[in-house]
Amino acid sequence: MKKWLIILGILFVVQIPFNLHFHAYYYATHTHQQKKQYPFVTLLGSNCLPQTYVPSYRVQNKELIGSYLVTIQRSKGNKLIELGHNYMSYYNDTKKKDYSLQDYYSLSFSSNGYIDESIKDGTTPKNANRLLYKNLEEIQTEIKQNSRRPLINLQWLWNLWFSLPSKYR
């Protein structure tokens, strides 16, 4: 009996990093967050995001060496909203040649998911800021509803890890 308890204990400890990695979006959307903080955004630079987690948006996963670069997009006519691991942008007219350099509104994120600043260039609608926040909330809600629930919930461990300063993570 003692041997089985030791084996089960070792298996539990060994599976912790896998659990935290494969269910990262679940944990990030279920963690307690402050106002203007979106922990799931920080994962877009390191974890693959399945399209099924955000069915209302187009997801592009680009595999890099040892990590991923995820972009979430929604376009309507010539307008485009794009979310990456450290920014979210609204482009007013994608038919223009260099649309990403002109007529845009952008939010930048810190390493722990807080919105740092907003940048505006050219002519963008007055409601661009509100539109980006609305889409952030929609994306977070969709991920929260559609992400897989872990068999062993380690939310407490995720919260502890996420509360550490980014230089220790």
Side-chain angles (χ1 to χ4, degrees):
M1 181 67 167
K2 190 175 187 180
K3 182 171 107 176
W4 284 108
L5 287 175
I6 292 171
I7 290 171
L8 288 174
I10 291 171
L11 287 174
F12 177 75
V13 170
V14 168
Q15 70 86 30
I16 288 174
F18 297 106
N19 181 315
L20 292 175
H21 177 75
F22 290 112
H23 300 286
Y25 287 105
Y26 174 87
Y27 293 131
T29 55
H30 285 80
T31 191
H32 177 66
Q33 59 210 29
Q34 305 297 323
K35 187 177 181 180
K36 293 189 176 186
Q37 183 186 26
Y38 299 88
F40 79 92
V41 172
T42 62
L43 297 173
L44 299 175
S46 60
N47 288 49
C48 178
L49 178 67
Q51 176 67 56
T52 58
Y53 284 13
V54 279
S56 301
Y57 294 81
R58 191 174 90 217
V59 177
Q60 294 176 326
N61 290 296
K62 182 177 181 182
E63 189 170 353
L64 303 173
I65 299 170
S67 67
Y68 283 90
L69 185 60
V70 179
T71 308
I72 302 171
Q73 296 178 333
R74 177 182 270 174
S75 58
K76 192 171 192 176
N78 297 340
K79 317 278 189 243
L80 174 67
I81 292 175
E82 186 172 68
L83 173 65
H85 75 287
N86 59 2
Y87 72 94
M88 184 172 198
S89 298
Y90 171 83
Y91 301 106
N92 201 32
D93 189 0
T94 57
K95 287 192 175 186
K96 290 183 180 178
K97 184 178 179 181
D98 292 326
Y99 73 88
S100 62
L101 301 175
Q102 54 190 347
D103 296 340
Y104 69 89
Y105 185 86
S106 187
L107 300 173
S108 65
F109 295 90
S110 67
S111 62
N112 56 1
Y114 283 101
I115 294 175
D116 272 346
E117 64 178 333
S118 60
I119 302 164
K120 180 181 178 181
D121 187 22
T123 56
T124 55
K126 291 181 181 183
N127 69 341
N129 188 31
R130 195 168 359 110
L131 188 65
L132 289 182
Y133 276 99
K134 178 181 172 253
N135 277 271
L136 262 175
E137 291 295 329
E138 282 179 16
I139 292 169
Q140 182 167 265
T141 301
E142 283 190 26
I143 292 173
K144 191 172 189 174
Q145 290 172 349
N146 298 318
S147 59
R148 293 183 326 177
R149 184 178 180 87
L151 186 60
I152 299 171
N153 194 333
L154 300 174
Q155 186 72 52
W156 64 273
L157 190 57
W158 173 271
N159 294 345
L160 182 67
W161 176 80
F162 198 75
S163 67
L164 291 173
S166 60
K167 66 181 181 180
Y168 297 117
R169 284 191 256 147

